[in-house]
Amino acid sequence: MKQKIAKDPLYGYVSIDADIFEEIIDTKYFQRLRRIEQTSMRCLYPSARHDRFVHSIGTYYLAKLAMESLEKNLKNGEGFYVDDKTLGKFLPSLRLKSIRFSFEMAALLHDIGHSPFSHTLEEYFRTKYFRELNEIKEHDIVEELLAEIQIVFTEMGKTQEEYKSFKLACENAKASPHEVASCIVILKCFKEILRNLAKKRDSEVDFDLLIRCILGALYSTEQIVSEQEKREKDYKNCIIKLLNSSIDVDKLDYISRDSQVSGFDNIKIDTARLLGSLILGKYVNAEGTDAYCLAFKKSALSVIQNVVLSRNSLYTWIYSHHKVKYEVHLIESAMQLIAKHVIKEKIDAGEIENRNAAKEEALYISQILSVDSIINNLVCDDTIWALFMQYRSEVPEINELITRNEQKKAVWKSFAEFQALFDNMEAIPALGAFSTEQMQRFFNREDSDPIYQRDLAEFQVYLNQFDSMIKFELVINKTKLAKIEHNAILIHLNEQLYGFDVIFKDLHKNSNIPPFFYLYCDKKSKEKLNQNDKKNDLIRYIKEYDRFRQEPSDKR
């Protein structure tokens, strides 16, 4: 098949089938990804100008490499030991072609519905508000996806039971909003394109598998009688994990790409060695029957270690950097304040009622940031910047974004410094005394919880009572370190399968940064805090906050 070549700074020359390039990559929906930055860290690293476009192509390249390696190792009978060691006997050839094509397309399109400004604004995709019978009702984006997949399932002749199984897996996967949005864009804009591409390859596209790969929604293998069907579901679950798991082709690309493009001196990942070691592992499950799972040869142990360390370095020192977090905070605040300004004008003009202001603000933002806006308006970073320029005189936070010398400064600059300032003086704090653990518990709650949001607002008021001349901005940081679940990464060692966490026991068990917060203030206030022990007075003041005191348990 005719090829097109793309030069990638990580992998060199990447070959892509010409029809995939023309039918998918050259479309306006995929080209939109050129105008969505991969990360929010360019405020910290000026060279980090990479986007979701190049990341998607990189993920696709690694997906192809992973499948080639897995199929090669399967054909050689590596990893699992059965009489029919050839891949064609393990699963029918047509199904294998369909699985491979669907997985590779999932990798290429996994970010097609991504929100502008990396992950900063994607929460606005989660729900949208619409008018029905003169009321504003809330609609979950997952329901949008289920409606689209039901149409596809009907076209494919799938049963109602298969739809119910997909729905349950989709709800249990707890996918991020941009992943759900990407699936909807695929089903609305690429359905026939993918079918035609598959047909050219004497195959078919399995939309069920494709969507599950992006969402991380595994198949249930319970109540399956047929050995052939169970093998296929086991194999498909392995493929899903190649795109959505503790170590997948998506993470491998962004860890390497974010490190290289920024110039951050991170541990390098040997992706060729890691993906070249992929095998299908065989074990006996709880029902006493043979089952299959994704595993790595022992030669990949050092690379897996590097993946964990590299990812955690990025999250600890880059994605959670005080400048990056403040830039994200400014973008979020600017969007919310623009919405308030627009809705207030409408209320003042008598166009809408004041009692619906909060939901009208959400409606305004979701009209800009929605799946429909991606499809119809190709919303991207440029769209939001144009909006910011329009309202920069009404929203001071926008001027902080575009004029760096007006930005507020962090009172402390890392978790290490925060921990040194707020660690318990006493090993065992008495009741009523400041407790680091109690403070961590206060912030370790769901962001969407209204009670938590109310508590944060009260804490913000408390902070600004410290000094009437200093106004603080509070930004919460929750660092997502790589968490290796028990037996999530499997190693084939001495003809047996072992969990990576079991082999290295305590190496990553407690790899965690508790939730903490940054405080920001203007430059003059920062200088004031650094004089006459004022900063220590602030720390003591924060420690005296009622919600951070050691309390007796209310559990019996």
Side-chain angles (χ1 to χ4, degrees), residues 145 148-149 152 183-189 191 207 211:
L145 171 60
E148 291 297 323
I149 200 71
V152 176
C183 293
I184 297 171
V185 174
I186 290 168
L187 295 176
K188 284 188 173 183
C189 303
K191 188 165 58 177
F207 285 103
I211 300 303

Side-chain angles (χ1 to χ4, degrees), residues 280-333:
L280 197 65
K282 178 184 174 184
Y283 68 101
V284 178
N285 62 20
E287 287 76 39
T289 59
D290 288 346
Y292 300 89
C293 59
L294 194 68
F296 297 90
K297 299 178 189 177
K298 62 182 179 181
S299 59
L301 277 169
S302 61
V303 188
I304 294 171
Q305 169 79 356
N306 286 345
V307 172
V308 176
L309 295 176
S310 296
R311 183 178 183 274
N312 286 349
S313 291
L314 283 173
Y315 274 89
T316 302
W317 301 110
I318 308 302
Y319 306 151
S320 295
H321 192 278
H322 63 93
K323 284 191 178 295
V324 174
K325 297 300 291 187
Y326 192 59
E327 180 110 339
V328 169
H329 169 72
L330 288 175
I331 293 169
E332 291 174 340
S333 299

Side-chain angles (χ1 to χ4, degrees), residues 2 10 93 135 212 222 234 301 304 330 444 507 511:
K2 187 178 177 182
L10 286 177
S93 178
E135 292 183 2
R212 285 173 181 264
E222 295 179 3
D234 278 348
L301 277 169
I304 294 171
L330 288 175
N444 194 24
L507 195 56
S511 180

Side-chain angles (χ1 to χ4, degrees), residues 193-249:
I193 291 172
L194 290 170
R195 282 174 173 158
N196 291 333
L197 288 171
K199 190 175 181 180
K200 287 182 184 179
R201 289 155 177 78
D202 297 321
S203 184
E204 58 187 22
V205 56
D206 186 339
F207 285 103
D208 184 10
L209 173 63
L210 190 156
I211 300 303
R212 285 173 181 264
C213 283
I214 295 174
L215 300 179
L218 298 174
Y219 290 92
S220 171
T221 56
E222 295 179 3
Q223 300 177 336
I224 295 179
V225 178
S226 164
E227 176 64 22
Q228 185 65 39
E229 185 182 357
K230 187 172 188 317
R231 278 189 181 188
E232 183 170 329
K233 290 287 171 60
D234 278 348
Y235 186 68
K236 284 183 175 180
N237 282 340
C238 293
I239 301 306
I240 291 169
K241 289 181 178 180
L242 278 178
L243 186 60
N244 207 313
S245 65
S246 298
I247 294 182
D248 57 51
V249 291

